[in-house]
Amino acid sequence: MNRIFGRGKAKGPPPNLTDCIGTVDSRAESIDKKIARLDAELMKYKEQMKKMRDGPSKNMVKQKAMRVLKQKRMYEGQRDQLMQQSFNMEQANYTIQTLKDTKTTVDAMKIGAKEMKKAYKNVKIDQIEDLQDQLEDMMEDASEIQEALSRSYGTPEIDEDDLEAELDALGDELLMDEDTSYLDEASTAPSIPEGVPGEKGTNRDGVLVDEFGLPQIPAT
């Protein structure tokens, strides 16, 4: 059968906007090059016309310049159309890509919502509240245990009035301990002998003393 009817041509991939945009841009660049060549030719004719006098030769050059200018205008129109087509396809391509991104985002959000529902099914609010209550009870039990362990044993009960009286008496004893009257007695004691043994002199009161600092008995 293939020999009779032949085989159908394999279908190529369908066109896409990105390839079409590239093709149109390439055509527009090709036209730009043609316009640049025509501009150079026009400049040449213009320079020739400046150097020529009015007459048939100048008119001939002018006619050539007019034909080149018409071609340039035609190419400029084609280029503008291609640029507009490329712009329209780029806008369409941007819109399509945005819609694809939106669909991808929506699909991801749907999957996330399903996963959240599955996760919430494994979480029981009542169990969490019961767990919190159990933890609170255990903390209270631990506090009671610590309080029981720190309780003192065999300590007699003491009246607070007795404690206050003892505290006041303790203050009086401290004041008595701070009595400095003994220092006065020390200041009135005889002074320490000064000098070396064998020497005589007087004490601070002007009394004649012997070498030991003792008052000397006057000779009769």
Side-chain angles (χ1 to χ4, degrees):
M1 295 294 291
N2 291 333
R3 293 179 180 178
I4 298 174
F5 297 101
R7 293 182 178 180
K9 295 182 179 180
K11 294 183 179 180
N16 56 71
L17 286 175
T18 303
D19 294 339
C20 291
I21 292 171
T23 301
V24 172
D25 289 341
S26 177
R27 291 175 59 190
E29 291 176 359
S30 176
I31 293 176
D32 280 333
K33 293 178 181 179
K34 293 180 180 181
I35 293 174
R37 287 197 299 268
L38 293 176
D39 284 335
E41 190 174 354
L42 283 172
M43 292 299 297
K44 182 180 69 173
Y45 290 146
K46 187 175 181 180
E47 291 296 329
Q48 289 180 359
M49 291 172 63
K50 288 181 181 180
K51 298 176 182 179
M52 296 175 68
R53 296 180 180 179
D54 294 337
S57 298
K58 185 175 181 180
N59 290 334
M60 186 180 298
V61 174
K62 185 176 180 180
Q63 291 297 325
K64 292 181 180 179
M66 294 293 291
R67 287 196 299 269
V68 172
L69 184 59
K70 288 180 181 179
Q71 292 179 5
K72 177 185 175 183
R73 294 286 180 85
M74 182 184 65
Y75 283 137
E76 286 178 348
Q78 294 176 358
R79 181 194 59 186
D80 293 341
Q81 290 178 356
L82 291 174
M83 291 179 64
Q84 185 63 41
Q85 292 176 11
S86 177
F87 175 76
N88 293 337
M89 287 188 292
E90 286 178 354
Q91 291 297 108
N93 193 24
Y94 174 78
T95 303
I96 293 172
Q97 190 61 41
T98 302
L99 292 175
K100 289 181 179 180
D101 294 340
T102 302
K103 183 179 182 302
T104 303
T105 303
V106 172
D107 293 340
M109 294 176 65
K110 289 180 180 179
I111 295 174
K114 291 180 180 178
E115 295 296 329
M116 290 177 64
K117 288 181 181 179
K118 291 180 181 179
Y120 275 120
K121 288 180 180 179
N122 298 326
V123 178
K124 305 296 183 181
I125 302 299
D126 295 337
Q127 294 179 357
I128 295 175
E129 292 179 352
D130 293 340
L131 179 60
Q132 291 291 338
D133 293 338
Q134 293 176 8
L135 291 174
E136 185 177 0
D137 293 339
M138 286 189 288
M139 293 298 293
E140 292 179 356
D141 293 340
S143 298
E144 293 178 359
I145 292 172
Q146 294 296 326
E147 184 179 354
L149 292 175
S150 61
R151 188 181 304 168
S152 59
Y153 301 96
T155 303
E157 295 183 359
I158 301 175
D159 190 2
E160 292 185 0
D161 294 336
D162 295 339
L163 291 175
E164 291 180 1
E166 184 177 352
L167 182 61
D168 294 338
L170 180 62
D172 295 338
E173 292 176 359
L174 291 175
L175 291 175
M176 292 177 63
D177 292 339
E178 293 178 358
D179 187 9
T180 59
S181 59
Y182 66 92
L183 296 177
D184 298 335
E185 296 177 358
S187 62
T188 57
S191 59
I192 299 173
E194 298 178 356
V196 296
E199 293 184 352
K200 296 181 180 180
T202 58
N203 58 14
R204 289 181 296 181
D205 297 331
V207 179
L208 186 64
V209 296
D210 56 13
E211 64 274 13
F212 298 105
L214 300 176
Q216 187 177 359
I217 300 174
T220 55

